[in-house]
Amino acid sequence: MGMEREIKLALPPAQVQAATQWFVARTGAQGGPIKLVNIYFDTPELMLASSKSALRLRQTPDGWLQTFKTVGKSENGMHTRHEWEIPVAGEKLEIDALLRECDEPSAADALRQAAPELIELFRTNFTRTLWHVQADGSEVEAAIDQGEVFAEVDGEARRAPISEVELELKSGDEAALHTLAAELGKQIAGLAPDDISKAQRGYQLRAG
């Protein structure tokens, strides 16, 4: 079982260039933009959301991944949650493989019960620009995400923007995330902690 630890910060669109320049200066690298297509699944009755979990397929330049997460907890932009992620052959869930990986009994039970009724609910399509940052002896993956959440509800296309910074701990101490977020906040006006995940934004969009 993996434990994901990250700080999410809402980034005003007018400040994207300033944040990009800050990361370039901080790392000495231009950053690598990649396009990500993410498809989220649940049952029509939202069984996974009710069990505080989320399931997605992600298309990356290297292929498809399926990811199962618990909602976990979030406070002041700091998100901590269980996560299981494995590659798949294509644009199709492989639930049995996820169940073999998932070692959280309640989460596994929720996924097993939901599996026969899963449907696509919404998508998050965005460009992610990545940097690897050293802070306090720890390694942090920093990302600027720009794109949108998309859902089709009763024939109506609904969209909401995505503009955020994510700081994910790859190795070392969690304190490095707070150090880096504080550094960035001093330079980028309007940057704010964000406790709402992309999955939660998708559910909110569907609910109107």
Side-chain angles (χ1 to χ4, degrees):
M1 173 175 58
M3 182 68 76
E4 184 181 46
R5 294 180 175 85
E6 68 179 18
I7 288 180
K8 186 187 296 287
L9 303 165
L11 176 63
Q15 295 287 61
V16 171
Q17 187 59 34
T20 300
Q21 291 174 346
W22 188 86
F23 281 117
V24 170
R26 181 70 164 70
T27 64
Q30 289 300 312
I34 55 175
K35 290 185 177 181
L36 299 174
V37 174
N38 305 275
I39 310 168
Y40 285 81
F41 297 85
D42 206 335
T43 70
E45 296 79 23
L46 308 184
M47 290 175 62
L48 293 181
S50 297
S51 70
K52 301 187 183 302
S53 57
L55 175 65
R56 76 167 185 234
L57 277 176
R58 166 173 284 177
Q59 185 182 29
T60 77
D62 298 322
W64 288 88
L65 298 170
Q66 62 180 0
T67 306
F68 185 48
K69 297 185 181 188
T70 61
V71 171
K73 61 181 181 179
S74 59
E75 184 177 359
N76 295 323
M78 180 72 197
H79 296 249
T80 306
R81 54 206 168 206
H82 298 302
E83 177 185 77
W84 300 268
E85 185 169 77
I86 56 176
V88 291
E91 190 179 338
K92 185 179 179 181
L93 292 166
E94 298 178 12
I95 298 297
D96 288 345
L98 265 182
L99 288 171
R100 287 193 293 270
E101 292 291 320
C102 183
D103 54 0
E104 183 73 22
S106 60
D109 286 345
L111 179 58
R112 189 177 293 108
Q113 292 176 30
E117 300 180 49
L118 290 172
I119 59 171
E120 177 183 331
L121 279 194
F122 55 86
R123 297 187 178 215
T124 62
N125 302 322
F126 55 90
T127 297
R128 168 168 287 177
T129 305
L130 286 171
W131 293 269
H132 292 281
V133 186
Q134 300 296 320
D136 294 342
S138 300
E139 183 181 354
V140 176
E141 183 180 82
I144 294 178
D145 292 344
Q146 292 285 293
E148 68 173 11
V149 186
F150 171 82
E152 188 168 316
V153 182
D154 297 329
E156 173 195 3
R158 300 180 182 178
R159 290 179 165 84
I162 293 170
S163 183
E164 59 191 34
V165 172
E166 287 189 358
L167 305 173
E168 182 177 350
L169 186 68
K170 290 300 185 181
S171 66
D173 196 285
E174 189 177 296
L177 296 178
H178 299 282
T179 297
L180 193 58
E183 285 182 33
L184 186 59
K186 290 177 182 177
Q187 302 298 321
I188 308 300
L191 202 65
D194 191 350
D195 290 333
I196 307 299
S197 69
K198 293 183 181 71
Q200 289 169 314
R201 292 190 192 285
Y203 282 104
Q204 291 173 353
L205 187 66
R206 280 189 58 88

